[in-house]
Amino acid sequence: MDENCVFCKIITGDIPSYTVYEDDVVKAFLDISQGTPGHTLVIPKKHVPDIFSYDPQLAADVFSRIPKIARAVRDSNPDIKGMNIINNNGKIAYQSVFHSHFHLVPRYTDHDDFGMRFVDNSSHYDEAQLTKIQNQIKDNLGE
């Protein structure tokens, strides 16, 4: 635990939360901002700052619980038509609390006050550039 971490304080009960699921590995609770109704955060109870800090076992333990929680959020309201599952890593990627967490954001309509933007930059890359990027990533897998 990190005594200065707001999510660690939620885990210990020092800060109240609207918990929807909890076991020995994760805690899931309503995001106080409620980007859309039912917006839920899933956090590991072990303090890890971001996805880069997970070991394989923690990843398996945390990720294996997300579908169950996501289904419960979806099934809580018949108006939910889909869900974004988001994990931000680093300030530049919009991470604001540096305790790893996953946002489960229910989607109701195309106009439900939530949005993501993916830009098609495919015209900026040729085969050689894509192959270079591919190989740089593959070379860093460190099997």
Side-chain angles (χ1 to χ4, degrees):
M1 292 289 171
D2 179 336
E3 65 186 35
N4 297 314
C5 172
V6 65
F7 287 172
C8 287
K9 290 178 182 179
I10 288 172
I11 291 166
T12 61
D14 294 334
I15 295 176
S17 67
Y18 295 92
T19 301
V20 300
Y21 178 83
E22 183 171 10
D23 64 20
D24 58 329
V25 176
V26 303
K27 184 173 182 93
F29 53 94
L30 296 180
D31 186 307
I32 201 69
S33 72
Q34 286 297 282
T36 64
H39 180 174
T40 299
L41 299 178
V42 179
I43 65 171
K45 286 190 167 180
K46 177 181 179 182
H47 180 83
V48 290
D50 52 37
I51 197 73
F52 309 114
S53 302
Y54 279 71
D55 61 40
Q57 187 61 56
L58 182 62
D61 290 344
V62 172
F63 298 159
S64 68
R65 286 153 170 86
I66 290 175
K68 175 181 181 171
I69 300 164
R71 285 189 295 271
V73 172
R74 179 199 63 198
D75 295 347
S76 72
N77 187 324
D79 294 331
I80 295 174
K81 307 297 183 216
M83 180 178 295
N84 290 97
I85 299 177
I86 304 161
N87 173 245
N88 303 325
N89 296 280
K91 186 175 180 179
I92 196 161
Y94 308 111
Q95 185 177 6
S96 59
V97 176
F98 295 92
H99 181 124
S100 181
H101 56 286
F102 296 84
H103 294 262
L104 280 55
V105 184
R107 300 305 306 276
Y108 295 84
T109 71
D110 291 342
H111 307 287
D112 59 12
D113 242 5
F114 180 84
M116 293 181 70
R117 190 186 102 181
F118 291 95
V119 177
D120 181 356
N121 289 311
S122 59
S123 65
H124 301 288
Y125 295 90
D126 62 23
E127 186 175 341
Q129 290 168 308
L130 292 171
T131 299
K132 180 181 177 185
I133 294 168
Q134 172 193 24
N135 289 330
Q136 287 172 317
I137 294 169
K138 287 172 71 174
D139 290 347
N140 282 284
L141 285 175
E143 314 262 346

